[in-house]
Amino acid sequence: QSVLTQPPSVSGAPGQRVTISCTGSRSNIGANYDVHWYQQVPGTAPKLLIYSHTNRPSGVPDRFSGSKSGTSASLAITGLQAEDEGDYYCQSYDSTLSGWLFGGGTKVTVL
Amino acid sequence: EVQLVQSGAEVKKPGESLKISCQGSGYEFSTHWIAWVRQLPGKGLEWMGIIYPGDSDSRYSPTFEGQVTFSADKSINTVYLQWSSLKASDTAIYYCARRVGTSTAYNWFDPWGQGTLVTVSS
């Protein structure tokens, strides 16, 4: 079964740096399909945060950055702020599914 | 401004039918695929499938094939998600989202609708 695996939760103090991993396989991230990231603040719809591994849409602070290596991708948040609390999801295309996969989501808590 | 606006929350009984909508504005609606995404209570995002409003061409995730139906009315910039017989397990928030990008390998979803809460309970 095609999956993108994320840690259930990460936490950090204000100002710290946290990273969220997204591990896939040869049918998705490893097949060089792009990875994208979404932020979902509780009670609201997901919002695009990073597209095509490293690109930020207009209005997204440069505290958010993405990277990819092999069959995994990562989202980094530097200078963590209280407003960054929420759930974060990675997404990629999967050739086995012939569709799009989301990771299970990671809950970010600011201590 | 590009935006997707979804229909309001629904409360239904098991076995009933339902059709929810997603209306786009601020861009050429008929030429961008729209995805449907399910979020079960307290859970993550699941891709249900995708529809091309221009000709209603639809692709379904295996999990949802035969369980739901997508349709579109490009004259009013609207796509629909429909159930013929709801189950309690269909209780979830359903989002529509515009697919962006020129090639399947590079597609992402932006923007998203505000979501429609569907509650199925006897």
Side-chain angles (χ1 to χ4, degrees), chain B residues 102-121:
Chain B
T102 56
S103 167
T104 298
Y106 309 110
N107 292 155
W108 59 93
F109 300 108
D110 181 59
W112 294 58
Q114 83 276 21
T116 295
L117 174 61
V118 173
T119 303
V120 184
S121 174

mmCIF file of all heavy atoms in Angstrom, chain B residues 102-121:
data_model
loop_
_atom_site.group_PDB
_atom_site.id
_atom_site.type_symbol
_atom_site.label_atom_id
_atom_site.label_comp_id
_atom_site.label_asym_id
_atom_site.label_seq_id
_atom_site.Cartn_x
_atom_site.Cartn_y
_atom_site.Cartn_z
ATOM 1 N N THR B 102 1.292 22.019 -14.394
ATOM 2 C CA THR B 102 1.077 21.630 -15.776
ATOM 3 C C THR B 102 1.184 20.129 -16.009
ATOM 4 O O THR B 102 0.683 19.619 -17.003
ATOM 5 C CB THR B 102 2.087 22.347 -16.679
ATOM 6 O OG1 THR B 102 3.407 22.041 -16.195
ATOM 7 C CG2 THR B 102 1.883 23.849 -16.634
ATOM 8 N N SER B 103 1.805 19.436 -15.100
ATOM 9 C CA SER B 103 2.018 18.007 -15.300
ATOM 10 C C SER B 103 1.693 17.256 -14.024
ATOM 11 O O SER B 103 1.910 17.745 -12.936
ATOM 12 C CB SER B 103 3.474 17.752 -15.684
ATOM 13 O OG SER B 103 3.785 16.382 -15.603
ATOM 14 N N THR B 104 1.168 16.047 -14.171
ATOM 15 C CA THR B 104 0.779 15.237 -13.015
ATOM 16 C C THR B 104 1.858 15.155 -11.959
ATOM 17 O O THR B 104 1.592 15.217 -10.763
ATOM 18 C CB THR B 104 0.421 13.815 -13.486
ATOM 19 O OG1 THR B 104 -0.694 13.878 -14.374
ATOM 20 C CG2 THR B 104 0.065 12.934 -12.305
ATOM 21 N N ALA B 105 3.097 15.030 -12.377
ATOM 22 C CA ALA B 105 4.196 14.852 -11.440
ATOM 23 C C ALA B 105 4.414 16.081 -10.571
ATOM 24 O O ALA B 105 5.067 15.999 -9.535
ATOM 25 C CB ALA B 105 5.481 14.526 -12.197
ATOM 26 N N TYR B 106 3.897 17.218 -11.008
ATOM 27 C CA TYR B 106 4.201 18.469 -10.307
ATOM 28 C C TYR B 106 2.971 19.133 -9.706
ATOM 29 O O TYR B 106 3.013 20.279 -9.318
ATOM 30 C CB TYR B 106 4.894 19.444 -11.269
ATOM 31 C CG TYR B 106 6.061 18.826 -11.981
ATOM 32 C CD1 TYR B 106 5.998 18.549 -13.347
ATOM 33 C CD2 TYR B 106 7.208 18.470 -11.286
ATOM 34 C CE1 TYR B 106 7.054 17.941 -14.005
ATOM 35 C CE2 TYR B 106 8.266 17.867 -11.936
ATOM 36 C CZ TYR B 106 8.191 17.605 -13.290
ATOM 37 O OH TYR B 106 9.230 17.011 -13.922
ATOM 38 N N ASN B 107 1.856 18.408 -9.637
ATOM 39 C CA ASN B 107 0.612 19.036 -9.197
ATOM 40 C C ASN B 107 0.517 19.221 -7.693
ATOM 41 O O ASN B 107 0.875 18.340 -6.921
ATOM 42 C CB ASN B 107 -0.587 18.196 -9.662
ATOM 43 C CG ASN B 107 -0.759 18.202 -11.157
ATOM 44 O OD1 ASN B 107 -1.327 17.282 -11.728
ATOM 45 N ND2 ASN B 107 -0.265 19.237 -11.810
ATOM 46 N N TRP B 108 -0.002 20.375 -7.310
ATOM 47 C CA TRP B 108 -0.366 20.629 -5.930
ATOM 48 C C TRP B 108 -1.788 21.186 -5.912
ATOM 49 O O TRP B 108 -2.413 21.330 -6.968
ATOM 50 C CB TRP B 108 0.621 21.592 -5.244
ATOM 51 C CG TRP B 108 0.740 22.936 -5.893
ATOM 52 C CD1 TRP B 108 0.056 24.082 -5.590
ATOM 53 C CD2 TRP B 108 1.645 23.297 -6.940
ATOM 54 N NE1 TRP B 108 0.458 25.097 -6.404
ATOM 55 C CE2 TRP B 108 1.435 24.661 -7.232
ATOM 56 C CE3 TRP B 108 2.617 22.596 -7.671
ATOM 57 C CZ2 TRP B 108 2.144 25.335 -8.204
ATOM 58 C CZ3 TRP B 108 3.330 23.273 -8.649
ATOM 59 C CH2 TRP B 108 3.092 24.627 -8.905
ATOM 60 N N PHE B 109 -2.324 21.448 -4.712
ATOM 61 C CA PHE B 109 -3.724 21.853 -4.592
ATOM 62 C C PHE B 109 -3.818 23.218 -3.917
ATOM 63 O O PHE B 109 -3.399 23.403 -2.778
ATOM 64 C CB PHE B 109 -4.519 20.796 -3.820
ATOM 65 C CG PHE B 109 -4.504 19.456 -4.486
ATOM 66 C CD1 PHE B 109 -3.784 18.404 -3.959
ATOM 67 C CD2 PHE B 109 -5.201 19.242 -5.666
ATOM 68 C CE1 PHE B 109 -3.750 17.162 -4.597
ATOM 69 C CE2 PHE B 109 -5.173 18.007 -6.315
ATOM 70 C CZ PHE B 109 -4.441 16.973 -5.773
ATOM 71 N N ASP B 110 -4.396 24.172 -4.632
ATOM 72 C CA ASP B 110 -4.498 25.532 -4.120
ATOM 73 C C ASP B 110 -5.426 26.348 -5.013
ATOM 74 O O ASP B 110 -5.271 26.319 -6.232
ATOM 75 C CB ASP B 110 -3.108 26.185 -4.098
ATOM 76 C CG ASP B 110 -3.126 27.602 -3.557
ATOM 77 O OD1 ASP B 110 -3.557 27.769 -2.393
ATOM 78 O OD2 ASP B 110 -2.728 28.521 -4.285
ATOM 79 N N PRO B 111 -6.418 27.064 -4.447
ATOM 80 C CA PRO B 111 -6.770 27.077 -3.037
ATOM 81 C C PRO B 111 -7.681 25.910 -2.668
ATOM 82 O O PRO B 111 -8.011 25.094 -3.543
ATOM 83 C CB PRO B 111 -7.530 28.405 -2.903
ATOM 84 C CG PRO B 111 -8.252 28.511 -4.217
ATOM 85 C CD PRO B 111 -7.308 27.946 -5.255
ATOM 86 N N TRP B 112 -8.078 25.896 -1.412
ATOM 87 C CA TRP B 112 -9.031 24.925 -0.910
ATOM 88 C C TRP B 112 -10.335 25.629 -0.559
ATOM 89 O O TRP B 112 -10.335 26.793 -0.162
ATOM 90 C CB TRP B 112 -8.489 24.247 0.349
ATOM 91 C CG TRP B 112 -7.276 23.386 0.101
ATOM 92 C CD1 TRP B 112 -6.089 23.763 -0.439
ATOM 93 C CD2 TRP B 112 -7.141 21.993 0.417
ATOM 94 N NE1 TRP B 112 -5.230 22.693 -0.503
ATOM 95 C CE2 TRP B 112 -5.844 21.596 0.027
ATOM 96 C CE3 TRP B 112 -7.989 21.032 0.984
ATOM 97 C CZ2 TRP B 112 -5.366 20.283 0.182
ATOM 98 C CZ3 TRP B 112 -7.514 19.740 1.152
ATOM 99 C CH2 TRP B 112 -6.224 19.375 0.746
ATOM 100 N N GLY B 113 -11.438 24.886 -0.711
ATOM 101 C CA GLY B 113 -12.694 25.394 -0.197
ATOM 102 C C GLY B 113 -12.683 25.371 1.328
ATOM 103 O O GLY B 113 -11.782 24.794 1.937
ATOM 104 N N GLN B 114 -13.679 25.990 1.924
ATOM 105 C CA GLN B 114 -13.719 26.078 3.394
ATOM 106 C C GLN B 114 -14.139 24.767 4.049
ATOM 107 O O GLN B 114 -14.045 24.635 5.275
ATOM 108 C CB GLN B 114 -14.664 27.217 3.824
ATOM 109 C CG GLN B 114 -16.145 26.870 3.876
ATOM 110 C CD GLN B 114 -16.852 26.973 2.537
ATOM 111 O OE1 GLN B 114 -16.222 26.928 1.484
ATOM 112 N NE2 GLN B 114 -18.180 27.110 2.587
ATOM 113 N N GLY B 115 -14.594 23.809 3.255
ATOM 114 C CA GLY B 115 -15.004 22.510 3.783
ATOM 115 C C GLY B 115 -16.498 22.436 4.037
ATOM 116 O O GLY B 115 -17.140 23.446 4.369
ATOM 117 N N THR B 116 -17.052 21.247 3.860
ATOM 118 C CA THR B 116 -18.456 20.984 4.169
ATOM 119 C C THR B 116 -18.513 19.831 5.161
ATOM 120 O O THR B 116 -18.018 18.739 4.871
ATOM 121 C CB THR B 116 -19.247 20.603 2.901
ATOM 122 O OG1 THR B 116 -19.281 21.711 2.004
ATOM 123 C CG2 THR B 116 -20.678 20.205 3.270
ATOM 124 N N LEU B 117 -19.078 20.077 6.320
ATOM 125 C CA LEU B 117 -19.249 19.025 7.327
ATOM 126 C C LEU B 117 -20.509 18.235 7.015
ATOM 127 O O LEU B 117 -21.598 18.796 6.944
ATOM 128 C CB LEU B 117 -19.344 19.634 8.725
ATOM 129 C CG LEU B 117 -19.666 18.657 9.858
ATOM 130 C CD1 LEU B 117 -18.590 17.588 9.999
ATOM 131 C CD2 LEU B 117 -19.852 19.413 11.178
ATOM 132 N N VAL B 118 -20.321 16.931 6.829
ATOM 133 C CA VAL B 118 -21.445 16.029 6.605
ATOM 134 C C VAL B 118 -21.556 15.115 7.821
ATOM 135 O O VAL B 118 -20.598 14.436 8.175
ATOM 136 C CB VAL B 118 -21.237 15.201 5.322
ATOM 137 C CG1 VAL B 118 -22.331 14.145 5.177
ATOM 138 C CG2 VAL B 118 -21.201 16.118 4.097
ATOM 139 N N THR B 119 -22.701 15.146 8.452
ATOM 140 C CA THR B 119 -22.966 14.301 9.622
ATOM 141 C C THR B 119 -24.079 13.331 9.267
ATOM 142 O O THR B 119 -25.154 13.745 8.831
ATOM 143 C CB THR B 119 -23.382 15.137 10.836
ATOM 144 O OG1 THR B 119 -22.363 16.104 11.114
ATOM 145 C CG2 THR B 119 -23.574 14.258 12.060
ATOM 146 N N VAL B 120 -23.776 12.041 9.418
ATOM 147 C CA VAL B 120 -24.764 10.997 9.128
ATOM 148 C C VAL B 120 -25.056 10.260 10.427
ATOM 149 O O VAL B 120 -24.199 9.601 10.995
ATOM 150 C CB VAL B 120 -24.250 10.017 8.063
ATOM 151 C CG1 VAL B 120 -25.332 8.999 7.705
ATOM 152 C CG2 VAL B 120 -23.778 10.763 6.829
ATOM 153 N N SER B 121 -26.283 10.408 10.885
ATOM 154 C CA SER B 121 -26.657 9.809 12.173
ATOM 155 C C SER B 121 -28.149 9.525 12.201
ATOM 156 O O SER B 121 -28.958 10.315 11.699
ATOM 157 C CB SER B 121 -26.288 10.759 13.317
ATOM 158 O OG SER B 121 -26.756 10.255 14.547
#
